[in-house]
Amino acid sequence: MLQGPDPACYDQTWLDWNYAFLAGEEPNPTVARFAYMLQGGSDASNTDPFATEPAAGEEWVNSGPHVMLLLPGELDLSVYSTDHDSGGPYIVWAGTPYEHIMTPVAEATPSA
Ligand SMILES: [Cu+2]
């Protein structure tokens, strides 16, 4: 779930992914596709796709401008990080049907 408007630019594969997500169904992409969120975005959790607010003691995951990569199959945790504060690419919602890779393209703007 999102905190802000989180504008994104993507193709039909990502649109289908979003419809599946909103319906609670598995998207199961068969092709790799990029999406662009160049105004950044926010998520209540980097582990729970359906969290509506951060868990106790956690903060919103506010990402700066980024590119997202959707890949078929399961992502390899020995290859990709899940650390959203690393400054590098990381897996969002690892191990779920909605996992994908976020790659920062600029610094996040600190929250006010
Ligand atoms: Cu994004």
Side-chain angles (χ1 to χ4, degrees):
M1 292 295 150
L2 307 172
Q3 184 182 34
D6 291 18
C9 179
Y10 46 59
D11 72 347
Q12 186 65 49
T13 299
W14 268 100
L15 187 61
D16 292 344
W17 182 96
N18 268 283
Y19 284 139
F21 175 75
L22 291 171
E25 298 169 354
E26 296 194 10
N28 295 318
T30 57
V31 292
R33 289 290 186 266
F34 283 106
Y36 303 87
M37 291 183 68
L38 299 181
Q39 292 185 29
S42 59
D43 291 294
S45 168
N46 197 51
T47 56
D48 179 358
F50 297 107
T52 57
E53 60 184 55
E58 303 274 325
E59 301 288 329
W60 283 91
V61 179
N62 292 312
S63 53
H66 61 273
V67 172
M68 301 189 297
L69 176 59
L70 191 60
L71 292 169
E74 295 178 16
L75 298 176
D76 187 341
L77 288 169
S78 71
V79 175
Y80 305 107
S81 172
T82 59
D83 181 0
H84 59 82
D85 288 325
S86 72
Y90 62 93
I91 302 175
V92 179
W93 303 329
T96 76
Y98 312 102
E99 65 182 2
H100 58 280
I101 298 172
M102 293 216 337
T103 300
V105 295
E107 293 285 321
T109 302
S111 301

